[in-house]
Amino acid sequence: MSGRTIDMAIVGGGLAGGLAALAVHRAHPDLSIALFEAGESYGGNHRWSWFTCDVDEAGADLLAAFPKAEWAPGYDVLFPGYTRTLSAAYRSLASADFDATLRRALPQAAIRTGSRVADLRPDCVVLDSGERITAKVVVDCRDFRASLHLRGGWQVFMGRHLRTSTPHDVARPIVMDARVTQHDGYRFVYTLPLAADELFVEDTYYADSPVLDRAVLAGRIDRYCDDMGWSGETIGGETGVLPVITGGDFAAFRRELGAPGVVRAGARGGFVHPLTSYTLPFAVANALILAREAQLPGERLAELFERRAHRHWRKTRFYRALGRMLFDAAKPDKRYRVFQRFYRLREPLVERFYAGRPTRADKLRILTGKPPVAIPSAIRALLGKGSPLVHERSP
């Protein structure tokens, strides 16, 4: 690829980068693109899940290219004082299927796994190997990087893919089971019935520290499966640490990412749900915008996404306020009550909340649990708190 200029170089082969490459290629098959990923496969070792109401028709069409698990009957949430079944349809995509689909759908020349990027600039990408690829547009879709300019906590998780020795009889996803012992933060277990004898079980924590202790979390998953009566063999798994953003100086955060001119469209650019750490609705929307505007000059495209990033930050300030309430106002072992109370609200509100589209009335109901009323001064006093989002220790 050295020696010629391609139309678009996308760096980071996770969800945001992979969807961007697919959307651009579908819309403009004549454009030369390349999708660079440091690992040997796209998507890493991960599973993404979403509600069907999280994306619009165009987004659903983009995601239709990937094989996925689907549940129409809805999902359950379980808390110490409350349980509920909600009706929204749920979907889940494994990274192995993500990788296989991209390899089939993209031109062979676009596949650049095992390509670690040492530097990216508005007009080129330089690999660790020394190879230099010039491009009209460079898109940064890499993972989130901790920053002193952002405050908050962390979502720490470990998932296990289990083949059960007998049918498990779990009919639909359990999106939150918070009946488990709370350990230094809000803890819940998330379970997906992938087949009659397959479960994906994930132990998740809203924690003050990004430390992930694999041995401890594995032991807790063992105990949870024992309590639920599930046994069998482990056939896969994942671990992760994601940011829960409660505040900060977003302009300073964006500036530290590098010089202007690079299109920053992934989690590293701030396109995350501040409270849930979800990225899928924003990755889908950004991929479609990138495809629609792919023929703009790189500088103009970068400016467009700079404006989108700042607009996203403004639109999600409500979630950052909720995060501050969760981390600052609630004792760690009582944080589950915030979500237990939330899940008593009307289902359309819950759907809009996860999709990042709450109305003003929704926000007031979430804060008060009642029809719109004045926001209590105690809630206003929570603004401005939080710890810097930096990795004190590697997970």
Side-chain angles (χ1 to χ4, degrees):
M1 189 173 290
S2 291
R4 70 183 182 92
T5 299
I6 64 173
D7 291 303
M8 184 177 293
I10 301 172
V11 180
L15 185 67
L19 290 178
L22 180 62
V24 170
H25 178 64
R26 283 176 35 159
H28 306 279
D30 55 319
L31 293 184
S32 55
I33 65 173
L35 178 58
F36 296 92
E37 165 57 37
E40 296 303 321
S41 62
Y42 292 125
N45 181 28
H46 195 62
R47 177 172 288 278
W48 301 280
S49 300
W50 67 98
F51 303 102
T52 54
C53 47
D54 287 347
V55 297
D56 60 14
E57 185 176 348
D61 180 66
L62 179 63
L63 292 168
F66 302 95
K68 50 195 156 304
E70 305 184 16
W71 300 273
Y75 64 99
D76 293 333
V77 292
L78 312 173
F79 295 92
Y82 180 70
T83 63
R84 184 180 182 184
T85 299
L86 294 95
S87 63
Y90 204 55
R91 304 287 184 265
S92 188
L93 168 62
S95 54
D97 292 324
F98 183 75
D99 176 73
T101 300
L102 291 177
R103 290 179 184 277
R104 288 194 302 269
L106 297 178
Q108 187 59 40
I111 305 299
R112 294 300 304 265
T113 52
S115 300
R116 184 173 297 277
V117 170
D119 188 25
L120 68 165
R121 305 168 193 171
D123 61 350
C124 73
V125 170
V126 181
L127 304 184
D128 270 356
S129 64
E131 182 183 1
R132 177 188 175 99
I133 302 95
T134 57
K136 296 177 183 177
V137 177
V138 174
V139 185
D140 188 354
C141 287
R142 290 175 294 177
D143 292 337
F144 177 83
R145 183 176 64 184
S147 169
L148 284 169
H149 296 297
L150 298 180
R151 299 189 301 273
W154 301 93
Q155 190 180 128
V156 179
F157 57 91
M158 172 180 280
R160 179 181 299 172
H161 190 173
L162 179 70
R163 178 172 290 123
T164 58
S165 51
T166 59
H168 50 70
D169 296 327
V170 179
R172 53 186 170 263
I174 304 171
V175 169
M176 284 187 182
D177 185 351
R179 300 171 302 175
V180 294
T181 303
Q182 302 295 298
H183 295 282
D184 300 321
Y186 174 46
R187 177 195 177 200
F188 64 91
V189 179
Y190 164 82
T191 302
L192 299 178
L194 299 176
D197 62 347
E198 288 185 32
L199 291 169
F200 182 78
V201 183
E202 188 164 272
D203 199 6
T204 302
Y205 300 78
Y206 276 73
D208 297 309
S209 165
V211 174
L212 189 156
D213 190 321
R214 294 172 183 266
V216 169
L217 268 60
R220 290 174 184 169
I221 294 175
D222 288 339
R223 289 191 291 276
Y224 182 81
C225 289
D226 288 343
D227 291 344
M228 298 295 283
W230 304 330
S231 62
E233 63 172 324
T234 299
I235 57 176
E238 69 172 24
T239 58
V241 178
L242 299 173
V244 180
I245 301 171
T246 64
D249 184 340
F250 190 69
F253 165 73
R254 289 281 298 190
R255 285 195 298 270
E256 78 176 356
L257 297 176
V262 173
V263 179
R264 295 183 171 94
R268 184 168 296 203
F271 290 100
V272 300
H273 192 300
L275 185 59
T276 66
S277 305
Y278 286 0
T279 59
L280 186 136
F282 315 118
V284 168
N286 280 343
L288 295 172
I289 292 291
L290 188 64
R292 189 184 73 194
E293 308 293 350
Q295 294 179 311
L296 284 176
E299 182 178 346
R300 288 184 58 192
L301 199 52
E303 291 172 353
L304 185 155
F305 274 85
E306 185 72 18
R307 293 193 298 271
R308 282 183 61 80
H310 284 274
R311 187 162 59 248
H312 175 77
W313 178 261
R314 292 192 299 271
K315 287 178 63 177
T316 56
R317 61 184 179 271
F318 172 68
Y319 295 108
R320 294 191 295 278
L322 291 182
R324 289 190 287 273
M325 293 173 66
L326 180 67
F327 281 98
D328 297 332
K331 293 181 179 179
D333 63 340
K334 304 300 182 185
R335 288 175 182 170
Y336 75 89
R337 292 179 177 176
V338 174
F339 286 91
Q340 179 174 272
R341 177 177 168 277
F342 167 74
Y343 269 107
R344 292 181 181 272
L345 299 172
R346 295 178 59 190
E347 187 166 350
L349 182 155
V350 174
E351 293 177 358
R352 291 190 293 270
F353 175 87
Y354 279 106
R357 299 190 296 268
T359 66
R360 176 174 171 77
D362 289 345
K363 296 173 184 178
L364 292 173
R365 285 188 171 90
I366 290 170
L367 289 173
T368 66
K370 303 173 184 177
V373 295
I375 300 176
S377 59
I379 293 174
R380 297 181 187 276
L382 291 170
L383 302 180
K385 297 182 180 180
S387 302
L389 272 179
V390 295
H391 286 282
E392 299 169 356
R393 287 181 283 168
S394 298

